[in-house]
Amino acid sequence: MTAPEDPAARRVFLAATGQNRGKTTASLGLIAGIMRTGHRLGFLKPVGQRYLVVDGTRADEDAVLVREVFDLPDALNDMSPVTLPRHFTTDFIMGRITDDLAGQVEHAFLRIAAGKDLVVIEGTGHAGVGAVVGISNASVAALLASKVIIVSEGGVGRPIDEIVLNASLFEQHGVEVLGALVNKVEMDSHADLPEILRRGLAQHGIELIGCIPYSELLANPSLELIVTHLEGELLAGEATPGQTVGHVAIGAMQADHAMKILRERTLLITPGDREDMILASLAARGHPVMGLILTGGFHPSGAVLRRLRDASLFTYLVETDTYTTAQAANAILVKTHPTDTDKIATIIELVDGAIDTNALLDRL
């Protein structure tokens, strides 16, 4: 197949300093901001490591997410041209896979970019990821003649070190780094952090494009993920997709003391035989408790269970103790899904406040 002519569409490549730094968060927010300006936009995930199969097409989960959230018309196999199933890298190294992966990425980009004003390209992991199969993020950005934004997460020393390291590899490939976007920044407790990061990065010739504030809502799982990742029994309520936990609390103190620490959309983890805690949760003013995880395998009494079911309060029984359960809930890898409407709205709002979209567009 012959590729079409290289289109005039501008392009920006969102890279990261590692996994789970907030690259997808940045993509969603940036895409929303660009689309509000009226630009015709395309999205490309050149290399996918976490993929889904949709209507027989294997596609990276971020491509599926962006296509659904923004109702993009492009084919999934163009939005996600290369995915890496298990053993792919070994087979590639051993010569059992000889596909022209760079060619696949380039042709997919050209199809995506046709008729568009701008294409957002989302990388995978740090700048070197993909080098094992000949298509690192840095080499793909060079191949597609794209400028790069590097996404890292909050802190001082680590994000600056990681950003500088990744920028050096992009620069070795002749790729212009527009700057850095730092995610999960604790603005409330460290109001001076953006200025510290700006100065620290400037010492290495890198611009701070913006800081995305930390949000507990974005860091926490949905009730659906709780049920998916923790082995247990749903006693009451539903694990409705899109219901994201706002705050996780452990009910290990007296019930009246515990009620004072509840905030909106609290998931309360407490032993199943703490019926005082369960009843207090049901009665709490403003209904801040969105769900209960009952630990230790202790079933509440029939009367209490009936009240939970009458209230349709999410109640999930697990066999593990409270400490182990809290650790397991905290370890859940939180990814954004199309049904997470509250979370997506929050992402768009936070990124919009962190990035001057028009100023960024002027630099592309």
Side-chain angles (χ1 to χ4, degrees), residues 21 50 59 109 119 155 188 200 224 229 281 314 321 355 363:
R21 296 293 195 269
R50 295 170 58 94
F109 168 78
V119 178
D188 293 337
E224 182 183 30
H229 287 76
S281 299
F314 172 87
D321 61 70
I355 297 177
R363 299 177 62 196

Side-chain angles (χ1 to χ4, degrees), residues 34-54:
I34 293 170
M35 293 187 77
R36 278 199 304 272
T37 66
H39 285 77
R40 296 168 298 171
L41 183 137
F43 177 85
L44 179 71
K45 181 83 173 188
V47 181
Q49 293 179 298
R50 295 170 58 94
Y51 60 85
L52 305 170
V53 178
V54 179

